[in-house]
Amino acid sequence: MDINRRKLILTGAAAAGASIAFPSLVWGQAQFKMKCANIMPADHPLNIRLTEASARIREQTNGQVEIGIFPSSQLGTDADMLSQVRAGAIDIFVQSGLILGSLVPVAAINGIGFAFSDYAKVWQAMDGPLGKNIQAAFLKSNLIAFDKMWDNGFRQVLSSSKPIRTPDDLRAFKIRVPPSPLWTSLFKSLGSAPVSIPWAETYSALQTRMADGIENALATIYFSKMYEISKYVSYTNHMWDGFWTVANRKSFESLPASSRDIVVKVFNEAAVKQRTDVEKLNGELAGNLATKGVQFTKVDRAPFQEKLRHAGFYGEWKRRMGDEAWSLLEATTGKLA
Ligand code: X2X
């Protein structure tokens, strides 16, 4: 096959893929065009609901506002995109609070190990006073955080080498964690050897054995196909992780006030629908993953939390988060430190 023909086919395939999943990427005639980026797979409910939201916003603003959705780290790694949204090169960034914590430390607080026991408590805190406190902190960095977070889910350990049953199994275990001080601290305190790797490089890190395992929610493991290389899931539920929508303040405030209200309202509604999608998937996917050869292990979580306590994890993070945010967290979770 000559080079031109090959190139044509490749370009054609890429374009077809993009146009099926993301018709809005063909920019229309809108007066305001905004880029909304994230690291999640294109077919994860986060991007399905964002795409719907984008269409609804176009409709409700009579075509004035067009929000292009860029999934799968298309616009860069976690750190790249955070710089871009601060500079206004990306208008809206949807990202895990723990990773945004490198800029706004309190945004990581929902990831404190074993803090949340169930979804009712998660939403009570994040839609309530704790969430408001975090939104105010984002604003100080000129980022407007929308009210409703998106769900990533309760995270489980996924191992390539052996099932993890006890904290002892984690000893010296090279676990990939996202670039975030809290994540590294959590797994160090559990006795493992965390390696901090951006999400976009995680699949190959597992493949090349740079990491023995990862930890994530079942839906994310499923849509990113991590089960192809890692087969043991342990139900640690060690943290709840969710995504904030943060908009560059200057770029967001350049929209007419009426359009801003529409954008916030539609994003909030989409996030609430996405929560239902993800909770359902995280509950149902085990059967599907089992047919792909994944083995599931139930674990007793108490010794893991005990280990964290012993290592001084809760005391350290209480200090780092500050009394105000910590007491807002404990108002929902009960005493942690
Ligand atoms: O694991 C990650 O890097 C994270 C938080 O972004 C996801 O869950 C995809």
Side-chain angles (χ1 to χ4, degrees):
M1 192 189 305
D2 70 41
I3 288 174
N4 280 340
R5 186 166 142 69
R6 223 182 114 174
K7 206 165 140 198
L8 198 77
I9 290 171
L10 288 176
T11 320
S19 69
I20 290 163
F22 294 99
S24 66
L25 282 192
V26 181
W27 292 109
Q29 297 303 309
Q31 190 181 349
F32 300 98
K33 299 185 171 82
M34 304 186 103
K35 288 185 188 162
C36 170
N38 65 80
I39 58 178
M40 295 295 273
D43 41 7
H44 186 279
L46 176 78
N47 280 307
I48 304 293
R49 294 294 185 185
L50 277 172
T51 305
E52 272 175 29
S54 162
R56 202 153 290 155
I57 287 164
R58 195 189 311 117
E59 231 171 76
Q60 292 187 15
T61 61
N62 301 316
Q64 257 205 328
V65 179
E66 173 104 38
I67 300 187
I69 309 298
F70 295 83
S72 303
S73 305
Q74 277 175 20
L75 300 187
T77 62
D78 315 75
D80 297 336
M81 288 196 282
L82 183 54
S83 315
Q84 289 180 67
V85 74
R86 294 186 73 194
I90 290 174
D91 306 284
I92 300 175
F93 186 28
V94 182
Q95 178 64 301
S96 165
L98 276 85
I99 299 178
L100 294 170
S102 65
L103 175 67
V104 176
V106 72
I109 198 166
N110 59 267
I112 297 295
F114 304 96
F116 290 107
S117 51
D118 57 51
Y119 272 114
K121 291 200 166 152
V122 166
W123 302 129
Q124 184 192 334
M126 306 320 290
D127 289 341
L130 181 61
K132 293 279 168 291
N133 182 282
I134 298 169
Q135 285 179 291
F138 275 121
L139 201 56
K140 288 196 187 129
S141 290
N142 285 319
L143 292 173
I144 296 179
F146 298 176
D147 315 283
K148 299 289 183 188
M149 290 182 83
W150 309 81
D151 186 21
N152 191 11
F154 283 90
R155 295 177 77 108
Q156 324 296 352
V157 171
L158 176 69
S159 158
S160 309
S161 50
K162 60 179 183 190
I164 302 296
R165 294 195 170 87
T166 65
D168 264 1
D169 294 329
L170 278 180
R171 196 177 302 144
F173 184 78
K174 281 186 295 169
I175 188 160
R176 173 272 168 181
V177 294
S180 139
L182 175 56
W183 244 306
T184 300
S185 160
L186 175 64
F187 279 91
K188 264 203 185 127
S189 304
L190 286 171
S192 59
V195 274
S196 170
I197 296 171
W199 178 246
E201 292 156 28
T202 297
Y203 188 97
S204 67
L206 275 179
Q207 227 170 8
T208 58
R209 293 297 169 117
M210 231 166 92
D212 301 321
I214 64 165
E215 47 77 54
N216 217 311
L218 289 194
T220 308
I221 290 169
Y222 175 78
F223 287 110
S224 61
K225 300 196 164 62
M226 299 284 170
Y227 57 80
E228 291 174 347
I229 28 179
S230 257
K231 296 292 183 197
Y232 304 102
V233 167
S234 298
Y235 283 117
T236 49
N237 284 298
H238 54 272
M239 73 162 71
W240 175 79
D241 178 34
F243 292 78
W244 283 100
T245 304
V246 293
N248 175 284
R249 185 172 183 175
K250 196 159 159 231
S251 120
F252 195 63
E253 287 179 351
S254 72
L255 293 179
S258 57
S259 298
R260 291 205 294 264
D261 291 348
I262 291 172
V263 172
V264 171
K265 183 168 166 287
V266 171
F267 265 71
N268 284 339
E269 286 167 359
V272 170
K273 288 186 199 148
Q274 185 265 5
R275 293 174 181 183
T276 311
D277 302 339
V278 171
E279 184 175 353
K280 195 158 168 272
L281 272 174
N282 282 336
E284 288 171 357
L285 274 174
N288 184 308
L289 287 167
T291 66
K292 301 185 190 312
V294 174
Q295 293 177 35
F296 290 86
T297 306
K298 289 219 164 75
V299 304
D300 177 6
R301 298 159 74 232
F304 290 88
Q305 191 171 15
E306 200 39 49
K307 178 123 193 181
L308 285 185
R309 245 189 213 114
H310 242 81
F313 173 84
Y314 293 104
E316 180 192 341
W317 282 92
K318 182 180 177 179
R319 265 194 311 283
R320 290 173 76 159
M321 291 297 172
D323 286 343
E324 192 190 348
W326 195 265
S327 63
L328 291 174
L329 176 68
E330 284 189 337
T332 303
T333 61
K335 201 114 193 88
L336 294 163

